[in-house]
Structure formats: structure tokens, C-alpha cells
Amino acid sequence: DMFFNRLHLRYFRQSLLKLNNMSTSINSRKIIYSKRGNPRNLLQLVEEQLDSGSIRGEQVLVGVLATPINPSDINQIEGTYLHLPETPATPGNEFVGEVLKTGEDVTA
């Protein structure tokens, strides 16, 4: 669904701009669902503040550029897929991203 791709890309660009301007706080947005059923009725947009200065050790901060919505994602939200993540959950098992920051122990 192109809605999700445009949504992630727009918010990633805003976050990347803030990071490039030396801000240690990133306004992160994600889509979640808290129960199973019809995705049209359950998906919610949630905003969080992330502290990019707290990336340490082997942690990696990745900005999501795009993410597809696959039939398995819809099935997980509906509760009809074999493997169901605990809720609340963020739909999607794949994404294209850009590494924005790494902890001091990341070498590759």
C-alpha cells in the first residue's frame, strides 16, 4: 500500500533533517496495532521522541526509507497468520533503511 511507503519516507526525511542539524532528539513516528481484527479499523499512528545521543555499544539507529505491506502483514493484524507477534506490534517484516548513527562498538 503506497500510503505506508509515503508515510514512512516523509517522517524519515523529517527525522534525518533534525539529526543532520545536530539535534540529539528525533521525532519518531510508527504505526501500531494493539489487538487483532480488520486493519482499517485498528492501525494507529504513534509519535515518540528518541534520543539519538543514547546510541551506545552495538546499537544502530536506522531511518526507515520504505516498507512494503505484504499479505502476511495483513494476516498477522487479522490474527490469521501462523506466527503472531505480541501486541502492541508494528506491522511489517521488511524495510529499506539508512544507518543514521552507530554505537562505538559497531565495526561493520
Side-chain angles (χ1 to χ4, degrees):
D1 189 315
M2 289 303 297
F3 167 75
F4 292 105
N5 291 337
R6 286 193 306 265
L7 184 71
H8 279 86
L9 183 56
R10 180 177 58 168
Y11 294 133
F12 168 76
R13 286 182 178 152
Q14 291 172 354
S15 296
L16 184 58
L17 179 62
K18 289 181 182 179
L19 186 64
N20 286 340
N21 288 332
M22 300 306 216
S23 173
T24 60
S25 180
I26 296 174
N27 187 22
S28 171
R29 295 176 179 108
K30 62 183 176 181
I31 295 172
I32 66 164
Y33 59 97
S34 298
K35 60 183 181 176
R36 311 236 182 259
N38 185 336
R40 292 185 186 273
N41 302 328
L42 298 177
L43 298 178
Q44 301 171 347
L45 181 64
V46 176
E47 296 187 32
E48 297 178 304
Q49 287 298 118
L50 300 177
D51 180 9
S52 68
S54 67
I55 303 300
R56 301 276 187 259
E58 295 180 347
Q59 294 177 327
V60 177
L61 177 63
V62 177
V64 175
L65 294 169
T67 180
I69 299 296
N70 294 310
S72 62
D73 302 322
I74 300 299
N75 294 146
Q76 286 180 347
I77 297 167
E78 294 171 334
T80 59
Y81 198 69
L82 180 60
H83 302 286
L84 299 175
E86 292 183 25
T87 55
T90 300
N93 297 308
E94 304 171 350
F95 69 92
V96 174
E98 181 176 354
V99 174
L100 301 177
K101 188 171 185 178
T102 62
E104 63 276 1
D105 296 332
V106 177
T107 59

